């Protein structure tokens, strides 16, 4: 199994999840500018969109997009408990959280990382991100988990994105609940191992 990543990108989420699950996999770094892997292979042959993450299974099948990959990892390793059981209401709550993270929160950051984005677009994006952060800070005040009562792939995905504001000039000190939440997740061994493997710690 191969996970295609770019250090610090959203591909860090399935990287952490695979380590949490104790899965055997190879992390393959991709240069997003050239769409080439470290070995010089064409990443577009794996994912025509050229975006990470992509997960290639031993049978040659591939998955893209974090919500799908994260749920796949959780479901292949059910004893680890990274997702509620299929058919349960908690499962749909998790899907709701993953959908929000992928389609709303993640998307809000895009202009802040895009080299060609105008100052106006970046300013509007910063406001959108800050609005999401304020809502998340309120929601997570007094709570340890983003979806349900136990650690899940939604926590992993949110944790990864909470590392981004500091890189685009957004002060996280205004969101103490999020700081405490992320600090607890950062202490998990799988998180530390993934960060170290990607050269981020």
């Amino acid at each position: 199994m191969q996970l295609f990543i770019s250090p610090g990108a959203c591909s860090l989420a399935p990287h952490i999840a695979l380590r949490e699950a104790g899965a055997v996999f190879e992390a393959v770094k991709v240069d997003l500018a050239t769409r080439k892997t470290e070995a010089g292979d064409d990443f577009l042959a794996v994912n025509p969109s050229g975006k990470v993450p992509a997960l290639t299974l031993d049978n040659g099948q591939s998955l893209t997009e974090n919500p799908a990959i994260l749920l796949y990892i959780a479901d292949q390793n059910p004893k680890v408990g990274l997702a509620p059981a299929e058919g349960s209401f908690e499962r749909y709550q998790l899907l709701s959280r993953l959908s929000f993270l992928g389609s709303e929160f993640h998307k809000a950051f895009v202009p802040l990382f895009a080299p060609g984005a105008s100052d106006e677009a970046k300013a509007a994006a910063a406001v959108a991100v800050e609005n999401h952060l304020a809502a998340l800070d309120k929601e997570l005040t007094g709570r340890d988990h983003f979806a349900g009562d136990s650690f899940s792939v939604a926590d992993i995905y949110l944790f990864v994105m909470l590392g981004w504001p500091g890189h685009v000039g957004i002060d996280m000190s205004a969101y103490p609940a999020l700081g405490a939440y992320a600090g607890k997740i950062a202490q998990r061994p799988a998180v530390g191992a993934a960060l170290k493997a990607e050269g981020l710690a």
Side-chain angles (χ1 to χ4, degrees), residues 13 86 96 108 115-116 136 143 162 168 174-175 178 183 198:
E86 288 190 45
S96 173
L136 288 165
R143 292 180 54 191
L162 290 178
V168 293
Y175 314 104
L178 292 181
E198 294 198 13

PDB file of all heavy atoms in Angstrom, residues 13 86 96 108 115-116 136 143 162 168 174-175 178 183 198:
ATOM      1  N   ALA A  13      -3.122  13.911   7.084  1.00  0.00           N
ATOM      2  CA  ALA A  13      -4.231  13.270   7.810  1.00  0.00           C
ATOM      3  C   ALA A  13      -4.267  11.758   7.603  1.00  0.00           C
ATOM      4  O   ALA A  13      -4.247  10.997   8.581  1.00  0.00           O
ATOM      5  CB  ALA A  13      -5.559  13.913   7.435  1.00  0.00           C
ATOM      6  N   GLU A  86     -20.864   1.235  10.914  1.00  0.00           N
ATOM      7  CA  GLU A  86     -21.749   1.554   9.796  1.00  0.00           C
ATOM      8  C   GLU A  86     -23.202   1.415  10.226  1.00  0.00           C
ATOM      9  O   GLU A  86     -23.558   0.493  10.952  1.00  0.00           O
ATOM     10  CB  GLU A  86     -21.465   0.628   8.618  1.00  0.00           C
ATOM     11  CG  GLU A  86     -20.164   0.924   7.907  1.00  0.00           C
ATOM     12  CD  GLU A  86     -20.035   0.157   6.616  1.00  0.00           C
ATOM     13  OE1 GLU A  86     -21.014   0.111   5.848  1.00  0.00           O
ATOM     14  OE2 GLU A  86     -18.957  -0.414   6.364  1.00  0.00           O
ATOM     15  N   SER A  96     -20.790  13.913   8.438  1.00  0.00           N
ATOM     16  CA  SER A  96     -21.101  15.337   8.403  1.00  0.00           C
ATOM     17  C   SER A  96     -19.859  16.166   8.706  1.00  0.00           C
ATOM     18  O   SER A  96     -19.572  17.163   8.019  1.00  0.00           O
ATOM     19  CB  SER A  96     -22.205  15.647   9.420  1.00  0.00           C
ATOM     20  OG  SER A  96     -22.425  17.033   9.518  1.00  0.00           O
ATOM     21  N   ALA A 108     -11.678  26.984   2.358  1.00  0.00           N
ATOM     22  CA  ALA A 108     -11.466  28.378   2.750  1.00  0.00           C
ATOM     23  C   ALA A 108      -9.985  28.761   2.732  1.00  0.00           C
ATOM     24  O   ALA A 108      -9.640  29.921   2.508  1.00  0.00           O
ATOM     25  CB  ALA A 108     -12.057  28.622   4.142  1.00  0.00           C
ATOM     26  N   PRO A 115      -0.303  30.819  -5.043  1.00  0.00           N
ATOM     27  CA  PRO A 115       0.660  31.882  -5.382  1.00  0.00           C
ATOM     28  C   PRO A 115       0.050  33.032  -6.171  1.00  0.00           C
ATOM     29  O   PRO A 115       0.435  34.184  -6.001  1.00  0.00           O
ATOM     30  CB  PRO A 115       1.709  31.146  -6.222  1.00  0.00           C
ATOM     31  CG  PRO A 115       1.581  29.715  -5.838  1.00  0.00           C
ATOM     32  CD  PRO A 115       0.130  29.506  -5.532  1.00  0.00           C
ATOM     33  N   GLY A 116      -0.920  32.751  -7.033  1.00  0.00           N
ATOM     34  CA  GLY A 116      -1.476  33.795  -7.883  1.00  0.00           C
ATOM     35  C   GLY A 116      -2.687  34.511  -7.330  1.00  0.00           C
ATOM     36  O   GLY A 116      -3.260  35.369  -8.009  1.00  0.00           O
ATOM     37  N   LEU A 136     -15.542  26.860  15.434  1.00  0.00           N
ATOM     38  CA  LEU A 136     -14.967  25.609  15.927  1.00  0.00           C
ATOM     39  C   LEU A 136     -14.483  25.750  17.369  1.00  0.00           C
ATOM     40  O   LEU A 136     -14.614  24.829  18.173  1.00  0.00           O
ATOM     41  CB  LEU A 136     -13.804  25.178  15.032  1.00  0.00           C
ATOM     42  CG  LEU A 136     -14.192  24.644  13.646  1.00  0.00           C
ATOM     43  CD1 LEU A 136     -12.968  24.596  12.736  1.00  0.00           C
ATOM     44  CD2 LEU A 136     -14.809  23.250  13.772  1.00  0.00           C
ATOM     45  N   ARG A 143     -14.751  20.190  25.150  1.00  0.00           N
ATOM     46  CA  ARG A 143     -14.843  18.887  24.485  1.00  0.00           C
ATOM     47  C   ARG A 143     -13.474  18.405  24.047  1.00  0.00           C
ATOM     48  O   ARG A 143     -12.585  19.208  23.751  1.00  0.00           O
ATOM     49  CB  ARG A 143     -15.747  18.986  23.248  1.00  0.00           C
ATOM     50  CG  ARG A 143     -17.205  19.228  23.571  1.00  0.00           C
ATOM     51  CD  ARG A 143     -18.039  19.314  22.306  1.00  0.00           C
ATOM     52  NE  ARG A 143     -17.861  18.126  21.450  1.00  0.00           N
ATOM     53  CZ  ARG A 143     -18.311  18.057  20.209  1.00  0.00           C
ATOM     54  NH1 ARG A 143     -18.935  19.088  19.661  1.00  0.00           N
ATOM     55  NH2 ARG A 143     -18.139  16.956  19.509  1.00  0.00           N
ATOM     56  N   LEU A 162      -5.605  22.625  11.604  1.00  0.00           N
ATOM     57  CA  LEU A 162      -5.329  23.622  12.645  1.00  0.00           C
ATOM     58  C   LEU A 162      -3.853  24.008  12.669  1.00  0.00           C
ATOM     59  O   LEU A 162      -3.477  24.991  13.320  1.00  0.00           O
ATOM     60  CB  LEU A 162      -5.767  23.095  14.014  1.00  0.00           C
ATOM     61  CG  LEU A 162      -7.281  22.976  14.213  1.00  0.00           C
ATOM     62  CD1 LEU A 162      -7.594  22.411  15.584  1.00  0.00           C
ATOM     63  CD2 LEU A 162      -7.974  24.333  14.019  1.00  0.00           C
ATOM     64  N   VAL A 168      -0.045  31.140   7.493  1.00  0.00           N
ATOM     65  CA  VAL A 168      -0.609  32.184   6.624  1.00  0.00           C
ATOM     66  C   VAL A 168      -0.916  33.452   7.416  1.00  0.00           C
ATOM     67  O   VAL A 168      -1.700  34.294   6.983  1.00  0.00           O
ATOM     68  CB  VAL A 168      -1.881  31.675   5.892  1.00  0.00           C
ATOM     69  CG1 VAL A 168      -1.507  30.591   4.902  1.00  0.00           C
ATOM     70  CG2 VAL A 168      -2.938  31.173   6.869  1.00  0.00           C
ATOM     71  N   ALA A 174      -6.310  33.588  19.675  1.00  0.00           N
ATOM     72  CA  ALA A 174      -7.696  33.994  19.905  1.00  0.00           C
ATOM     73  C   ALA A 174      -8.628  32.796  20.045  1.00  0.00           C
ATOM     74  O   ALA A 174      -9.816  32.974  20.320  1.00  0.00           O
ATOM     75  CB  ALA A 174      -8.168  34.890  18.764  1.00  0.00           C
ATOM     76  N   TYR A 175      -8.088  31.594  19.862  1.00  0.00           N
ATOM     77  CA  TYR A 175      -8.915  30.389  19.874  1.00  0.00           C
ATOM     78  C   TYR A 175      -8.342  29.371  20.865  1.00  0.00           C
ATOM     79  O   TYR A 175      -7.774  28.351  20.477  1.00  0.00           O
ATOM     80  CB  TYR A 175      -8.989  29.800  18.459  1.00  0.00           C
ATOM     81  CG  TYR A 175      -9.254  30.852  17.412  1.00  0.00           C
ATOM     82  CD1 TYR A 175      -8.235  31.303  16.581  1.00  0.00           C
ATOM     83  CD2 TYR A 175     -10.512  31.421  17.281  1.00  0.00           C
ATOM     84  CE1 TYR A 175      -8.465  32.289  15.641  1.00  0.00           C
ATOM     85  CE2 TYR A 175     -10.756  32.418  16.342  1.00  0.00           C
ATOM     86  CZ  TYR A 175      -9.723  32.848  15.517  1.00  0.00           C
ATOM     87  OH  TYR A 175      -9.955  33.829  14.593  1.00  0.00           O
ATOM     88  N   LEU A 178      -9.300  25.579  20.720  1.00  0.00           N
ATOM     89  CA  LEU A 178      -8.671  24.862  19.618  1.00  0.00           C
ATOM     90  C   LEU A 178      -7.208  24.576  19.928  1.00  0.00           C
ATOM     91  O   LEU A 178      -6.678  23.521  19.566  1.00  0.00           O
ATOM     92  CB  LEU A 178      -8.780  25.660  18.319  1.00  0.00           C
ATOM     93  CG  LEU A 178     -10.186  25.802  17.738  1.00  0.00           C
ATOM     94  CD1 LEU A 178     -10.144  26.605  16.436  1.00  0.00           C
ATOM     95  CD2 LEU A 178     -10.826  24.441  17.491  1.00  0.00           C
ATOM     96  N   GLY A 183      -3.342  20.551  21.039  1.00  0.00           N
ATOM     97  CA  GLY A 183      -2.215  20.163  21.881  1.00  0.00           C
ATOM     98  C   GLY A 183      -2.327  18.739  22.386  1.00  0.00           C
ATOM     99  O   GLY A 183      -1.338  18.008  22.448  1.00  0.00           O
ATOM    100  N   GLU A 198       7.588  13.270   8.012  1.00  0.00           N
ATOM    101  CA  GLU A 198       7.426  14.285   6.976  1.00  0.00           C
ATOM    102  C   GLU A 198       8.357  15.474   7.179  1.00  0.00           C
ATOM    103  O   GLU A 198       8.286  16.461   6.434  1.00  0.00           O
ATOM    104  CB  GLU A 198       5.959  14.756   6.923  1.00  0.00           C
ATOM    105  CG  GLU A 198       5.007  13.661   6.476  1.00  0.00           C
ATOM    106  CD  GLU A 198       3.661  14.182   6.014  1.00  0.00           C
ATOM    107  OE1 GLU A 198       3.540  15.408   5.794  1.00  0.00           O
ATOM    108  OE2 GLU A 198       2.721  13.361   5.869  1.00  0.00           O
TER     109      GLU A 198
END
